[in-house]
Amino acid sequence: MIDFELTRVGTPDAAVQIAAATPTAQQGATVRFIAGGTNLIDYMKLDVETPQHLVDINRIPDLAKVEKQPDGSLKIGALVRNSDLAQAPEVLAEYPVLSQALLSGASAQLRNKATTSGNLLQRTRCPYFRDLAYAECNKRTPGSGCAAIGGYHRNHAILGVSDQCIATHASDMDVALMVLDAVIHVQGIKGNRTIPIGEFYKLPGTTPHIENALEPGDLITHVTLPALPETKQIYLKLRDRASYEFALASAAIVMQVQGGRLRHVRVAMGGVGTRPWRMPEAEHALEGQAPGEGVFRAAADAALKTARPHTDNAFKIPLAKLCMIRALTTVTNA
Amino acid sequence: MSTITFTLNNSQVTVDAPPMTRLLDLLREHLHLTGTKEGCGEGECGSCSVLLNGELVNSCLVPTLQVQGATVTTIEGLGEHTHLHPIQQCFLEEGGAQCGICTPGMILATHHLLEKHPAPTLDEIREGLSGNLCRCTGYMRIFEAVQQTAKLAEAGK
């Protein structure tokens, strides 16, 4: 691990001022915020992250609250721990897909430390990205190549991939936030702004080192979840072992069944995309239909149509389809 | 160097250490409490689990600077050689420990689990201990030790 300076701040303003000095908020950032540290410290020990300055935001007041807003939305502070968010009464009552996703991720030890904003910025587990012994990684070192393409890539993405990067987005929480249409609130050097989660994550394309919409100085202060009508929700996660493992494929679904028809259908998948993957094709195929296996299969086929597998991860196409079909079957019968 | 003051196993301690020293190293190297074990060093195995302000965490991922003013409980704070904690006694009696590397973390994870679920189901035990890996026991005897602890606590009420 490299040497670095550390500053503990008490206000968002102070955090933003210090972080504005970094030339990029993406790979290669020289200033990083630290909250739970479960992802950052791991990557600093591997020398994948090499910040010269850490800004500890844990003592900024008021960022660790979950609050119902007058408009019915739910405000989740950046520092709310994953374990606390999973058990928040408002989340359990209105957004159970989020609670299920959080509890399916990591371990009790990690959830007790990991935060909402940190999980939004969780980085890929691609073994080539993690290991400096491999020189080729366009995400770590732009222009160096991709060792995963042509290497071991059983766990890698099949959606949103490019010739430069096929790294899978690792989070469960963020997949649930996709179907809940979460809005990310950012304080930056030029003031406050909001970013819909659908616009937050970038596709790798030719710039896999740019993962999200954050600019130097940007601090995620909170996330809001819009009020929802009463819906059925599910998070189904398929993986190599039944706990404490990343998804091979996961499905987050929010829907209503009204008069025998599917309404307000929202579908996203994890473990298959280079970012948490919302599936408008599936939603379109399901909306207004009577639930049934044929309809579910057609939706799954539509959603995976653009999948681009490599040799070791082609199994993820049928697996993802079956995951979605099983989640849809389970949630409509719930 | 930073001077860190915190409550460790019910006593106040003050120690000088670089601020990014891992809590794990602070405990083992600076304070000579070697009950907390290092397994993977990256938050995967749970051997280094301790309670930080009552919450179970991996001490290999906690920088010392986050411990200032906090309360930390390690395996040394749970029982004594002459008077084991009921969880320790049950692990001993049920064969829940073999080589012993995972055991301190397992016992603290059990403590954390039983605080939240005093009468846990088998699924709750599996989930509560899923962040702690054991390569000896096959887990069944550990689960039995947890169930036995819960049973004794219920009977002792």
Side-chain angles (χ1 to χ4, degrees), chain A residues 12-22 33 186-193 214-220:
Chain A
D13 288 356
V16 169
Q17 284 300 328
I18 298 171
T22 185
F33 300 125
V186 173
Q187 180 172 338
I189 200 74
K190 293 179 197 148
N192 299 334
R193 68 186 196 281
L214 294 184
E215 299 286 342
D218 283 348
L219 174 73
I220 296 174

Side-chain angles (χ1 to χ4, degrees), chain A residues 50-270:
Chain A
T50 54
Q52 293 157 21
H53 197 153
L54 282 189
V55 182
D56 182 357
I57 60 171
N58 283 294
R59 298 189 183 202
I60 299 178
D62 301 327
L63 294 190
K65 290 183 189 164
V66 178
E67 294 169 290
K68 196 84 181 159
Q69 303 286 98
D71 67 355
S73 65
L74 191 67
K75 179 179 175 182
I76 302 165
L79 295 177
V80 176
R81 307 285 153 177
N82 285 181
S83 49
D84 292 332
L85 186 58
Q87 304 298 346
E90 301 89 344
V91 172
L92 287 168
E94 289 175 61
Y95 309 100
V97 65
L98 177 56
S99 181
Q100 291 169 28
L102 284 161
L103 292 175
S104 78
S107 65
Q109 285 91 330
L110 294 168
R111 293 192 296 268
N112 283 336
K113 287 285 282 171
T115 61
T116 309
S117 56
N119 199 325
L120 281 166
L121 300 176
Q122 185 183 163
R123 308 203 64 192
T124 183
R125 309 297 292 192
C126 173
Y128 302 102
F129 173 70
R130 287 174 65 78
D131 191 345
L132 264 65
Y134 292 90
E136 289 180 314
C137 175
N138 288 320
K139 188 182 277 297
R140 186 162 27 82
T141 312
S144 61
C146 173
I149 299 172
Y152 176 79
H153 53 250
R154 177 178 175 269
N155 295 327
H156 284 69
I158 54 173
L159 290 163
V161 299
S162 72
D163 294 337
Q164 275 76 41
C165 185
I166 58 172
T168 313
H169 196 272
S171 171
D172 293 296
M173 182 192 89
D174 303 345
V175 181
L177 292 183
M178 291 296 280
V179 289
L180 296 173
D181 291 309
V183 177
I184 298 165
H185 297 250
V186 173
Q187 180 172 338
I189 200 74
K190 293 179 197 148
N192 299 334
R193 68 186 196 281
T194 56
I195 307 170
I197 192 161
E199 296 167 22
F200 185 72
Y201 295 106
K202 303 296 181 192
L203 288 172
T206 56
T207 54
H209 59 290
I210 299 172
E211 296 175 1
N212 57 55
L214 294 184
E215 299 286 342
D218 283 348
L219 174 73
I220 296 174
T221 54
H222 58 281
V223 172
T224 48
L225 303 180
L228 271 183
E230 201 180 320
T231 52
K232 293 168 178 277
Q233 302 180 15
I234 190 172
Y235 189 76
L236 175 67
K237 179 173 177 180
L238 305 182
R239 42 190 162 169
D240 283 332
R241 55 183 180 199
S243 73
Y244 199 14
E245 183 56 275
F246 292 94
L248 290 170
S250 68
I253 293 168
V254 171
M255 63 154 64
Q256 295 174 312
V257 185
Q258 285 180 356
R261 300 278 164 180
L262 302 174
R263 303 286 179 201
H264 192 90
V265 184
R266 305 281 184 274
V267 180
M269 293 196 80

Side-chain angles (χ1 to χ4, degrees), chain B residues 83-148:
Chain B
H83 186 77
L84 295 181
H85 188 278
I87 302 173
Q88 292 171 313
Q89 192 64 43
C90 288
F91 267 66
L92 201 60
E93 287 171 8
E94 300 295 324
Q98 286 187 27
C99 87
I101 288 287
C102 77
T103 311
M106 281 290 179
I107 287 173
L108 287 163
T110 301
H111 187 275
H112 182 255
L113 169 71
L114 294 176
E115 292 259 298
K116 294 190 188 268
H117 303 283
T121 63
L122 192 54
D123 278 348
E124 284 167 344
I125 296 173
R126 286 194 176 117
E127 182 53 37
L129 301 186
S130 69
N132 296 76
L133 304 186
C134 172
R135 294 288 89 131
C136 304
T137 64
Y139 299 99
M140 292 315 298
R141 285 168 182 266
I142 291 175
F143 298 161
E144 285 160 12
V146 178
Q147 287 171 321
Q148 184 63 16

Side-chain angles (χ1 to χ4, degrees), chain A residues 1 4 6 8 34-38 41-42 44-46 54 56 58-59 83-84 103 106-113 125 130 241 243-244 246, chain B residues 19-20 22 41-46 49 52 55-58 60-63 65-69 105 109 112 116 126-128 130-133:
Chain A
M1 201 190 300
F4 53 88
L6 185 131
R8 183 177 281 158
I34 181 166
T38 55
I41 290 177
D42 185 26
M44 285 173 67
K45 288 199 289 196
L46 295 170
L54 282 189
D56 182 357
N58 283 294
R59 298 189 183 202
S83 49
D84 292 332
L103 292 175
S107 65
Q109 285 91 330
L110 294 168
R111 293 192 296 268
N112 283 336
K113 287 285 282 171
R125 309 297 292 192
R130 287 174 65 78
R241 55 183 180 199
S243 73
Y244 199 14
F246 292 94
Chain B
M20 281 301 278
R22 304 177 302 173
E42 54 185 46
E44 290 282 331
C45 77
S49 298
L52 176 63
E55 292 291 354
L56 190 70
V57 301
N58 294 310
C60 75
L61 290 178
V62 177
L65 66 103
Q66 292 187 341
V67 179
Q68 171 65 34
H112 182 255
K116 294 190 188 268
R126 286 194 176 117
E127 182 53 37
S130 69
N132 296 76
L133 304 186

